[in-house]
Amino acid sequence: MPTGLLIKYFLRVDADGLFHTYPHRGGPFKSLEETQEAIDTYHANRIKIKYLGELSKEDRYVWHKLYWRDGTRKNSKEALDAMMNLDPTLEVVKCLLDKHNEEHHLFEDLAYEVKEVVSYKAHFPENDSQYECRSFSHLNVLAKRGLNDDGNLLFIEITCTDGEFEEYALTCLSAVSSDDNGECCECGDDVKHPTGVEYKKGEAKPHGRCKCINRPISDEAFNKFIVVRDEDSLEAEEARVRRQFRIRSIADGHGARGKYIVPAKRVQA
């Protein structure tokens, strides 16, 4: 997740050792460093061409303080909409299906192509869980195979483990029909599960002890990404940042930053 951007990237390494990015940013690339450079360059070029232009020093200061690197104003409705419209779930499904296609030699009309994520439930096992993973997710996905296919409903299980990087694995893929009613202690009726297929079914919890174990978002992250301020608050914040810049500029002109310069005493005649 690049610093200062409302976006998360997933990387896939193919059988030839080449790196693919999701969302797509060119490539494939020969190394992780080359991949990172391509991602950074993509966003740097967007900033340079679309947003910075010939801004004054003051406007640049304001931009770096109050805007995300993609040019959206922090804590604005536009920024929240941009974050909500990005779909990391869809991107990781695309990534894992491409990996599945390659590993099973599914090409052209045999290859899966995701059209839509229909339903999604993430689960975070507790510390004493039988599952050795950070999280697992159950999804129903509409996917097609070939140009003439209207799409079929799939059940997918994705497991995430921690390490130097988050690692995602496709641990179950199965077609489901209206007759399927597979068991899952976690999803309930939100996701249609296959029958007779191995996947993590969750862990039944004693009555009265059920609780939400999704990771809570921190107050800092909530204020940074989720809170939307009204136009008056955004304008007042920009005015404060501009005053801050001008005060610092005046201080720099006296040879010191942020310090009050005591004027010389007048000599009495």
Side-chain angles (χ1 to χ4, degrees):
M1 190 168 184
T3 302
L5 290 172
L6 301 174
I7 189 171
K8 187 173 187 176
Y9 282 92
F10 299 91
L11 305 182
R12 176 175 67 89
V13 184
D14 65 22
D16 296 322
L18 300 177
F19 289 78
H20 302 254
T21 67
Y22 298 78
H24 181 67
R25 295 295 180 252
F29 304 101
K30 296 180 180 179
S31 67
L32 185 60
E33 292 74 19
E34 185 179 333
T35 307
Q36 184 70 62
E37 183 179 355
I39 291 172
D40 291 342
T41 300
Y42 170 84
H43 291 285
N45 286 340
R46 279 182 56 115
I47 293 165
K48 182 178 180 181
I49 295 171
K50 297 186 72 173
Y51 299 107
L52 288 184
E54 298 296 330
L55 296 183
S56 65
K57 289 183 179 180
E58 179 176 326
D59 287 337
R60 284 177 179 268
Y61 181 85
V62 170
W63 191 88
H64 286 295
K65 286 284 186 181
L66 301 181
Y67 287 79
W68 294 109
R69 284 173 56 195
D70 64 0
T72 55
R73 176 71 158 83
K74 295 178 181 179
N75 298 116
S76 67
K77 185 179 183 303
E78 180 187 6
L80 180 62
D81 289 343
M83 184 183 70
M84 298 302 290
N85 288 333
L86 293 170
D87 193 349
T89 303
L90 179 61
E91 294 300 333
V92 76
V93 170
K94 288 180 181 178
C95 180
L96 289 172
L97 283 183
D98 284 351
K99 185 174 180 65
H100 177 85
N101 290 334
E102 181 187 40
E103 291 179 344
H104 292 81
H105 307 289
L106 303 176
F107 305 107
E108 297 180 352
D109 288 350
L110 296 178
Y112 287 104
E113 180 183 350
V114 61
K115 294 179 63 177
E116 179 186 358
V117 175
V118 178
S119 55
Y120 163 77
K121 290 283 285 188
H123 310 294
F124 298 86
E126 295 179 306
N127 293 333
D128 58 351
S129 171
Q130 62 177 308
Y131 302 125
E132 296 181 358
C133 60
R134 193 193 74 178
S135 66
F136 64 92
S137 303
H138 288 174
L139 306 92
N140 285 144
V141 172
L142 191 64
K144 66 175 186 176
R145 305 177 81 173
L147 296 176
N148 298 322
D149 187 4
D150 293 330
N152 297 284
L153 190 65
L154 303 178
F155 168 83
I156 287 178
E157 180 183 76
I158 297 173
T159 299
C160 176
T161 56
D162 280 329
E164 183 180 359
F165 301 99
E166 290 180 350
E167 294 188 6
Y168 293 83
L170 184 64
T171 45
C172 183
L173 186 153
S174 176
V176 287
S177 68
S178 57
D179 297 329
D180 283 309
N181 190 26
E183 178 189 1
C184 181
C185 298
E186 302 277 3
C187 294
D189 297 329
D190 293 338
V191 177
K192 180 170 285 296
H193 300 73
T195 55
V197 177
E198 287 300 320
Y199 59 89
K200 294 180 174 61
K201 294 178 173 64
E203 298 166 311
K205 299 175 177 60
H207 181 71
R209 292 185 57 199
C210 294
K211 60 181 181 178
C212 177
I213 55 176
N214 288 338
R215 301 290 190 250
I217 185 171
S218 67
D219 290 341
E220 180 183 1
F222 182 84
N223 290 327
K224 187 175 183 180
F225 294 102
I226 307 299
V227 169
V228 175
R229 302 192 182 114
D230 59 38
E231 288 298 323
D232 289 342
S233 297
L234 295 177
E235 289 178 5
E237 185 179 31
E238 180 173 337
R240 178 182 59 77
V241 170
R242 289 187 182 280
R243 286 196 301 272
Q244 183 183 63
F245 174 83
R246 291 163 187 168
I247 290 171
R248 291 189 175 188
S249 296
I250 293 171
D252 285 344
H254 287 86
R257 180 177 294 275
K259 295 181 179 179
Y260 177 67
I261 308 298
V262 179
K265 292 183 179 179
R266 289 189 177 182
V267 179
Q268 297 295 327

